[in-house]
Amino acid sequence: MPLPNFYHHIHRTLLQQAEQVLLVWPGGATAGLATAYTGRDLGQRIAAYQQLLRKHNTRAGQPVLLGLPVGAELICGLLAVMSLGAVPVLPPAGASAVGVLGLLRRNGVGAALVPNKSARRYNWLLRGLGVRLLGAPQHLGTAELLPPQAVPATQPALVSHSSGSTGQAKAIRRSHAVLTAQHEVLKQVFPPWPGQRDFPLFPNVLLHNLAVGALSVLPDVPWGQLANLQPARLVQQLQTTQAETLTGNVFYFAALCGYLEQHHPTPLPHVRALGVGGSPVPESLLQRLRSCFAGAAVYVIYGSSEAEPIAVRLAEAPTNPRSGYCVGPVQAGLSCRLQPLGVVELPNGTQHQVGEVCVQGAHVAAEPGTWLHTGDFGYLDAQGLLWLTGRKGNEAICQGVQHYQVEHVLCSLPGMERAAARATPTGFDVYYQGTVSDAAVRTALAQHFPVGLCNRILRRQHLPVDSRHLSKILYHQLR
């Protein structure tokens, strides 16, 4: 039975809040020249893309590659594709030309939205592969904003890709039903309020914000170059826009805290809540966030693109890093099971069955009747809280300990920037980055873990991390 597609939530917002600013995009290299878009502005741009796509006979269910630069045009192009019942396909970050060609073949893409220069230069080449390159509309014109095309609930609403931290980036197909369910869960966990000003690090949060009518102020961070962020510019943005909620990853918030602690000791009173995720979140960072944003509720958000969120923890009281990373109770409405791996033992003698976290539910992008295997390992404690203790590819249990437990303890040491523990047949090799001394690392390991658990202790200038979050250790690249 055909159902309205996810875009209908956003279409309603665009009509009801036509004069309200819904999106503020930073000026990038031109500091201070941000661009504000009202519901009417966004609607006009979406209508222009709808007209372009219809002119080229874009059909419901047809995959369309989004090759536009990250910005408002990409968002409007994506929404236009979705509104017509077609399927937006986002390429992996940093994909090569060969990778994109493979993606076109695997997904049966027949059209791509690209910058006008690319369309003029390469259209002849890709036309031979059955792909039409459509340049962005140069004039908005007077096209009418079309209502959403009804689609089957199981049809993909969006195809994106994982970060590839444990191997190659994989395609994630979220149906309209799943995308709607994820949106509804986020509304329940983090209820929006009229006039809410959100400061999300990654543009994918925009779909949810547009669906609830919240203002999205995009941080002034070079897209795809997170390492080049300038915390001073971000703090200036926060002050100027009076943003109330922030979401981001460990690297991002650590950089913000570092700047605030050194140059801006006065808390930002307008910040009411922030959520941090994307990788395991150290207790030491949560403590810094509670200090830097004294008036804000701090949440740990655990999930994946396929299941957002899986668990949420309000970080009011610190937990013991030796026990792993506490991510809170599993989200209501999700079924969760642990595919058994073995047993970890805590210092108090408590033993817990550890397994791979597998989830199933309405807001999980998985085949009907199947479980999503997250690649994360952990246990549930007596209070029903989920603790993460390891990651696929490095999941071996050594003397009742998994690698996240070792890493989390080391992350609490002053001067520790990153730590990694790689399992070997005889224990763990420990790698670390930072100004902390070798002696301090050895002392911490001796205090918290069995004798002989850790073999080599190796300082490195930089530990390899994923390119998207700059927070997930790439264990297979440790040398």
Side-chain angles (χ1 to χ4, degrees), residues 93-323:
S96 65
V98 173
V100 171
L101 287 175
L103 185 150
L104 294 175
R105 288 194 295 267
R106 287 192 303 273
N107 290 276
V109 172
L113 289 174
V114 298
N116 285 290
K117 184 181 294 185
S118 298
R120 290 192 297 269
R121 182 175 299 175
Y122 300 113
N123 213 346
W124 65 272
L125 178 63
L126 290 184
R127 190 177 294 276
L129 299 175
V131 179
R132 297 188 314 277
L133 297 184
L134 309 180
Q138 295 181 305
H139 305 287
L140 295 182
T142 57
E144 179 184 358
L145 180 62
L146 301 175
Q149 169 72 44
V151 294
T154 55
Q155 177 179 302
L158 179 64
V159 178
S160 59
H161 290 79
S162 66
S163 62
S165 60
T166 58
Q168 286 190 333
K170 61 180 179 180
I172 299 164
R173 293 174 170 82
R174 280 173 279 189
S175 69
H176 287 272
V178 167
L179 204 58
T180 298
Q182 290 184 355
H183 161 66
E184 293 298 334
V185 169
L186 288 173
K187 277 204 306 184
Q188 294 170 16
V189 178
F190 304 108
W193 57 86
Q196 179 182 356
R197 298 183 297 277
D198 188 38
F199 199 71
L201 177 59
F202 294 112
N204 61 347
V205 180
L206 281 174
L207 295 181
H208 171 70
N209 284 352
L210 287 170
V212 299
L215 167 63
S216 296
V217 179
L218 271 293
D220 192 359
V221 174
W223 177 251
Q225 302 175 50
L226 186 58
N228 296 330
L229 69 83
Q230 298 179 35
R233 291 174 71 160
L234 297 177
V235 171
Q236 181 61 50
Q237 264 191 296
L238 288 171
Q239 292 176 310
T240 301
T241 63
Q242 296 287 288
E244 299 165 300
T245 51
L246 290 76
T247 51
N249 60 28
V250 169
F251 177 86
Y252 171 79
F253 277 120
L256 270 182
C257 285
Y259 177 82
L260 290 170
E261 289 162 349
Q262 293 184 40
H263 305 289
H264 203 281
T266 304
L268 301 172
H270 48 85
V271 178
R272 297 169 53 172
L274 55 87
V276 55
S279 66
V281 183
E283 287 296 324
S284 56
L285 177 60
L286 295 174
Q287 182 178 343
R288 295 172 70 191
L289 288 170
R290 287 192 292 264
S291 175
C292 290
F293 299 91
V298 179
Y299 294 90
V300 174
I301 304 173
Y302 166 59
S304 65
S305 297
E306 299 97 330
E308 297 176 311
I310 293 174
V312 176
R313 170 190 162 207
L314 176 58
E316 294 181 301
T319 63
N320 184 354
R322 172 64 175 76
S323 301

Side-chain angles (χ1 to χ4, degrees), residues 410-434:
L410 295 180
C411 283
S412 65
L413 297 177
M416 180 65 74
E417 294 177 29
R418 291 191 178 101
R422 186 170 63 185
T424 74
T426 58
F428 293 103
D429 284 344
V430 173
Y431 300 76
Y432 71 96
Q433 169 187 335

Side-chain angles (χ1 to χ4, degrees), residues 1 111 156 162 322 325 354 359:
M1 183 73 180
S162 66
R322 172 64 175 76
Y325 293 96
V354 161
V359 292

